Amino acid sequence: MARTPRPILDAAAGNVLAMIALHQDRPCPTNAEIIDWTGVPRRRLKAYLQSLVERGVIEIEYRDPEPSRRRMRAPGMPWTGWTRRGNSC
């Protein structure tokens, strides 16, 4: 299976940062919203978000052991609200 070129993923990271900024004081974006904004396939979304965390592009915090409640931010910026909907991760 071919891997997605890094420049495309970096462009999608800019979309994630814009989406996070628009969700400040609102619930964290759902997986469906992130997929719509970035074009990252659902089966790769978790790994993609983790890669952004590992590269220091975003921070994600989980409320429960089951990662259905999360919030996000760009480093040093305000957090989004906690997700309200189940099945968001």
Side-chain angles (χ1 to χ4, degrees), residues 21-37:
L22 291 173
H23 278 80
Q24 288 175 4
D25 300 321
R26 294 180 46 211
C28 180
T30 63
N31 283 349
E33 290 172 305
I34 296 170
I35 290 166
D36 287 346
W37 276 69

Side-chain angles (χ1 to χ4, degrees), residues 21-86:
L22 291 173
H23 278 80
Q24 288 175 4
D25 300 321
R26 294 180 46 211
C28 180
T30 63
N31 283 349
E33 290 172 305
I34 296 170
I35 290 166
D36 287 346
W37 276 69
T38 64
V40 173
R42 180 173 295 278
R43 68 184 177 280
R44 294 188 181 170
L45 184 61
K46 186 175 182 177
Y48 173 68
L49 291 176
Q50 185 59 37
S51 75
L52 293 179
V53 169
E54 289 169 1
R55 291 172 43 208
V57 176
I58 64 172
E59 296 175 1
I60 301 176
E61 187 173 281
Y62 296 98
R63 179 174 275 179
D64 301 320
E66 178 186 327
S68 63
R69 304 258 308 156
R70 70 174 173 218
R71 63 184 186 167
M72 300 176 159
R73 71 177 180 175
M77 299 302 292
W79 289 99
T80 64
W82 290 100
T83 50
R84 282 190 250 170
R85 300 164 287 273

